[in-house]
Amino acid sequence: MLQVVLGGAMIGLASALLMATNGRIAGISSIVHRAFFFRVKESWTIWFVLGLMLGPAVMLISGWVTPPSIEIDWGSIIVGGLLVGMGTKIGSGCTSGHGVCGMGRFSARSVVAVAVFMSVGVMTVLLMRLGGVL
């Protein structure tokens, strides 16, 4: 439980610091896109993405968390990742951009986006459980 509280606080703090120092919203899909696909590279985006990858690695190595047990095939994981990527492009943002930053700024567009992706997520899990996949 402590990890959950600390993790949430760190996400909120990082989002607030990014907005305060760079005037940018901490939408992970946009940051990753800027780090690797923009012609003009912004160095902070590369450091941000490295931090996203190194943080969990440090937590695992230190023994503070254990690796999750995922009992789903790689094909489903890849298809799911591609669908999430398409959704972030179509929805003009991801869960972090809309859910953490947009909702915190009382953006109506973000409230709608969060309602949609949370509803779809709940329905997907329900259908998978009814179908015996989960």
Side-chain angles (χ1 to χ4, degrees), residues 44-109:
W44 72 269
T45 60
I46 295 167
W47 288 108
F48 194 97
V49 172
L50 283 173
L52 288 175
M53 293 186 290
L54 289 175
V58 168
M59 298 292 285
L60 283 170
I61 291 168
S62 70
W64 221 40
V65 296
T66 56
S69 174
I70 300 173
E71 297 180 19
I72 204 163
D73 64 287
W74 279 102
S76 296
I77 292 171
I78 291 168
V79 169
L82 290 172
L83 288 172
V84 167
M86 287 172 45
T88 61
K89 193 67 173 169
I90 292 167
S92 299
C94 59
T95 54
S96 57
H98 284 300
V100 175
C101 301
M103 298 267 298
R105 294 177 320 139
F106 304 108
S107 164
R109 189 178 97 175

Side-chain angles (χ1 to χ4, degrees), residues 9-69:
M10 290 173 68
I11 289 170
L13 179 62
S15 299
L17 284 173
L18 186 61
M19 179 60 84
T21 58
N22 285 8
R24 300 282 189 168
I25 293 174
I28 304 307
S29 60
S30 296
I31 292 172
V32 170
H33 187 260
R34 269 191 238 121
F36 297 107
F37 300 111
F38 264 33
R39 289 190 181 130
V40 178
K41 301 290 185 220
E42 298 177 55
S43 64
W44 72 269
T45 60
I46 295 167
W47 288 108
F48 194 97
V49 172
L50 283 173
L52 288 175
M53 293 186 290
L54 289 175
V58 168
M59 298 292 285
L60 283 170
I61 291 168
S62 70
W64 221 40
V65 296
T66 56
S69 174

Side-chain angles (χ1 to χ4, degrees), residues 114-127:
V114 170
V116 169
F117 61 68
M118 290 300 290
S119 300
V120 170
V122 168
M123 287 187 291
T124 300
V125 169
L126 177 65
L127 290 173

